[in-house]
Amino acid sequence: MNSRGYSDPGNHEPWPFMVKTAQVICGAAQNAEIRIGMYFIRALGTMTADGAGSRPESDPEMIYNALEWVHKHRNVKITIVLEKRAMPQATRDLVSKRLSGIASTYYCSHGCFNTRSKATKIVTQATATTEASTKEIDYINHEKIVTINHTVWGKSDNNAGSDDSVVLSSSGNWARSQTRLFYQETVLVYGDKQYQTLMANRFDAMLYCAKTGCKKNTGFPADQKAWLKKKRSIWVDPIQSGHPTASGRGTWVAFAPAPTSTRDYYLQAFDKVDCAVQNKIRIAMFRLTDDASKKFAGRLAEMKKQGCDIKIVLTSPVGNYSVTSFVKKKLKNAGIWFKCSPVSLHTKLVLIGSKTGLDAKVITSTAAMGVLSLTQSDEHTTIFDSSRATLPGYAEAIRHAYGEYMTGWTEIAKESKGC
């Protein structure tokens, strides 16, 4: 981002997202296993006998070349789960052609943990003041994770729970448009054995659902079998506070689908803010939906009254999405500062800190601020909290990450305008 700049919507040079991802994949050790859960990937103009086909997806080719290399030279097992809804048959055929002999690829339909494998019709009965209505709610596998159980790098440190595994968690899918036209963010968690186990087991449950439809939880890993409960024909994670990773790292991960009665992870994070201590809230969000804004605007207004300094950057209009008049009215009435970015945001980022630069919290997610994203689709949210990091160096590492993100957020906000 520093070399390309933050605010020129006409600049379509690629972010280093694909290069960094390929570098991580090249770190896979001999006989390692790579698990990839993704909403969609693209392989336009896949390889032919004479080389690249027409209009090759040049950016993700870096990743596919890395996968091919570690599979061939290090005997790495690669398994991928994607969302069928996001990938028409022609797209799936191209992906299969490019990854043939490299990876085993599976598809969920309308989300992995939705046992119905189709959209759901919700019927609202008529009342004295409203008419009866029917709407269709759809679900997706919206994950973007890469887990590698062993790398060539060795243990990250000598603390308990450390090993040589990595997890790459991102807002971006593997497609040229994603890393040239959108802001994305990516987090690499290295050497946190429990984090990698949580993500790998989550992936294995997704894979079981892709293969079987998971009407029963027979094939879930033990922890997923213990945690996930079937509600509304969806396997939901009812653990509200998230799952801690390796002890002392100050890191938690929370999963969706979640029960509709659960207070979502963004609101839970806001509930824990003491505006007398951590009063600086900065948000960079792809989407804030009408239904979610009803809750968020009210909670943010309460925090502002308690002394919190809150600013939000939302995406500029992209595709069929723009910030609605309803959302703008909710935020204005709540007195919350908000603008739209010059380049379309795809990030789902919340920064919570103090003006003195002490304890800080970084929240990254695949889920936008929307009720469906947070309760129906396959998503994950990771929370890094320096105040809860007790191992040497981890609190400082989180503060450093917070500072890097805050610098980027500030650069974007400088050029942002009214929505």
Side-chain angles (χ1 to χ4, degrees), residues 7 51 121 130 160 167 190 211 280 317 339 365 379 381 406 416:
S7 58
K121 289 185 177 180
T130 62
V167 175
Y190 171 42
K211 290 179 176 179
K280 190 173 183 179
K339 291 186 178 180
S365 182
E379 313 268 12
T381 302
M406 186 60 72
S416 295

Side-chain angles (χ1 to χ4, degrees), residues 109-120 122 137-141 202 209 213-217 220 227-238 255-260 371-379:
S109 182
H110 300 270
C112 291
F113 295 104
N114 175 18
T115 63
R116 290 167 295 220
S117 297
K118 61 181 180 180
T120 303
I122 304 296
I137 296 178
D138 218 342
Y139 316 132
I140 52 175
N141 159 27
R202 180 72 173 182
C209 289
C214 58
K215 298 290 185 182
K216 297 182 180 180
N217 66 357
F220 284 173
W227 296 335
L228 300 184
K229 308 298 179 185
K230 192 187 289 187
K231 306 283 186 183
R232 316 182 313 278
S233 298
I234 305 172
W235 291 101
V236 301
D237 188 343
F255 296 106
T260 54
V371 172
L372 286 181
S373 296
L374 294 163
T375 62
Q376 315 293 352
S377 296
D378 308 339
E379 313 268 12

Side-chain angles (χ1 to χ4, degrees), residues 42 55 86 109 134 142 146 187 212 217 299 303 313 315 348 361-362 389 404:
R42 294 284 186 262
R55 291 188 64 218
S109 182
T134 300
H142 199 240
V146 178
V187 175
T212 69
N217 66 357
R299 183 68 188 100
M303 293 167 65
V313 175
T315 191
K348 294 90 179 174
K361 185 180 292 185
V362 176
E404 290 288 322

Side-chain angles (χ1 to χ4, degrees), residues 59-129:
D59 297 351
E61 268 300 310
M62 299 178 192
I63 295 175
Y64 302 150
N65 287 337
L67 292 173
E68 188 172 8
W69 194 91
V70 295
H71 176 71
K72 179 180 179 180
H73 294 281
R74 294 185 184 159
N75 193 40
V76 173
K77 178 183 177 182
I78 303 165
T79 312
I80 304 174
V81 174
L82 302 163
E83 171 56 55
K84 191 174 184 180
R85 263 194 66 215
M87 300 181 63
Q89 185 62 56
T91 303
R92 299 199 299 273
D93 290 344
L94 289 170
V95 166
S96 296
K97 182 179 179 182
R98 180 63 184 93
L99 297 178
S100 176
I102 301 170
S104 299
T105 305
Y106 300 87
Y107 291 89
C108 293
S109 182
H110 300 270
C112 291
F113 295 104
N114 175 18
T115 63
R116 290 167 295 220
S117 297
K118 61 181 180 180
T120 303
K121 289 185 177 180
I122 304 296
V123 178
T124 303
Q125 300 298 325
T127 68
T129 57

Side-chain angles (χ1 to χ4, degrees), residues 340-376:
C340 280
S341 61
V343 177
S344 297
L345 287 172
H346 200 240
T347 58
K348 294 90 179 174
L349 178 69
V350 177
L351 305 172
I352 302 173
S354 64
K355 292 182 178 179
T356 57
L358 298 176
D359 285 330
K361 185 180 292 185
V362 176
I363 302 170
T364 68
S365 182
T366 58
M369 288 180 166
V371 172
L372 286 181
S373 296
L374 294 163
T375 62
Q376 315 293 352

Side-chain angles (χ1 to χ4, degrees), residues 1-6 11-25 58-60 62-63 168 170 172-176 178-187:
M1 282 186 172
N2 289 337
S3 60
R4 172 176 150 165
Y6 287 86
N11 186 345
H12 294 165
E13 290 298 313
W15 308 112
F17 170 86
M18 300 291 185
V19 176
K20 299 293 186 182
T21 301
Q23 289 172 340
V24 172
I25 288 169
S58 53
D59 297 351
M62 299 178 192
I63 295 175
L168 195 69
S170 174
N173 302 285
W174 294 350
R176 188 178 188 272
Q178 288 274 291
T179 52
R180 296 196 181 214
L181 305 181
F182 292 88
Y183 288 124
Q184 306 285 359
E185 57 86 11
T186 304
V187 175

Side-chain angles (χ1 to χ4, degrees), residues 18-327:
M18 300 291 185
V19 176
K20 299 293 186 182
T21 301
Q23 289 172 340
V24 172
I25 288 169
C26 286
Q30 188 73 28
N31 300 320
E33 183 170 359
I34 298 179
R35 297 169 169 90
I36 301 166
M38 196 77 63
Y39 180 38
F40 70 86
I41 62 178
R42 294 284 186 262
L44 299 176
T46 49
M47 308 305 288
T48 69
D50 299 321
S54 61
R55 291 188 64 218
E57 278 276 349
S58 53
D59 297 351
E61 268 300 310
M62 299 178 192
I63 295 175
Y64 302 150
N65 287 337
L67 292 173
E68 188 172 8
W69 194 91
V70 295
H71 176 71
K72 179 180 179 180
H73 294 281
R74 294 185 184 159
N75 193 40
V76 173
K77 178 183 177 182
I78 303 165
T79 312
I80 304 174
V81 174
L82 302 163
E83 171 56 55
K84 191 174 184 180
R85 263 194 66 215
M87 300 181 63
Q89 185 62 56
T91 303
R92 299 199 299 273
D93 290 344
L94 289 170
V95 166
S96 296
K97 182 179 179 182
R98 180 63 184 93
L99 297 178
S100 176
I102 301 170
S104 299
T105 305
Y106 300 87
Y107 291 89
C108 293
S109 182
H110 300 270
C112 291
F113 295 104
N114 175 18
T115 63
R116 290 167 295 220
S117 297
K118 61 181 180 180
T120 303
K121 289 185 177 180
I122 304 296
V123 178
T124 303
Q125 300 298 325
T127 68
T129 57
T130 62
E131 297 180 358
S133 65
T134 300
K135 65 178 180 178
E136 203 171 69
I137 296 178
D138 218 342
Y139 316 132
I140 52 175
N141 159 27
H142 199 240
E143 285 289 12
K144 298 160 190 74
I145 54 173
V146 178
T147 78
I148 307 177
N149 62 340
H150 294 296
T151 65
V152 298
W153 301 327
K155 288 187 176 182
S156 65
D157 55 45
N158 296 318
N159 290 305
S162 176
D163 64 358
D164 61 1
S165 69
V166 298
V167 175
L168 195 69
S169 169
S170 174
S171 66
N173 302 285
W174 294 350
R176 188 178 188 272
S177 60
Q178 288 274 291
T179 52
R180 296 196 181 214
L181 305 181
F182 292 88
Y183 288 124
Q184 306 285 359
E185 57 86 11
T186 304
V187 175
L188 178 69
V189 177
Y190 171 42
D192 187 330
K193 183 176 182 179
Q194 179 62 10
Y195 190 68
Q196 194 276 335
T197 298
L198 286 165
M199 289 297 201
N201 287 350
R202 180 72 173 182
F203 173 90
D204 288 347
M206 292 170 61
L207 178 61
Y208 173 69
C209 289
K211 290 179 176 179
T212 69
C214 58
K215 298 290 185 182
K216 297 182 180 180
N217 66 357
T218 310
F220 284 173
D223 61 351
Q224 303 294 301
K225 192 179 293 185
W227 296 335
L228 300 184
K229 308 298 179 185
K230 192 187 289 187
K231 306 283 186 183
R232 316 182 313 278
S233 298
I234 305 172
W235 291 101
V236 301
D237 188 343
I239 299 177
Q240 293 195 28
S241 57
H243 306 275
T245 69
S247 178
R249 282 167 170 76
T251 305
W252 273 256
V253 60
F255 296 106
T260 54
S261 58
T262 297
R263 195 161 173 81
D264 71 63
Y265 310 123
Y266 292 120
L267 288 175
Q268 287 184 45
F270 296 149
D271 290 343
K272 295 173 184 175
V273 170
D274 181 351
C275 291
V277 180
Q278 291 181 312
N279 65 332
K280 190 173 183 179
I281 315 293
R282 297 292 182 266
I283 299 170
M285 189 61 53
F286 167 58
R287 191 172 188 182
L288 174 58
T289 63
D290 289 359
D291 52 7
S293 68
K294 298 173 185 177
K295 298 180 180 179
F296 283 110
R299 183 68 188 100
L300 294 175
E302 293 173 357
M303 293 167 65
K304 184 178 179 182
K305 290 178 181 178
Q306 295 165 3
C308 273
D309 173 19
I310 304 166
K311 294 185 178 181
I312 304 173
V313 175
L314 298 167
T315 191
S316 58
V318 55
N320 294 324
Y321 174 72
S322 61
V323 182
T324 68
S325 58
F326 184 91
V327 169

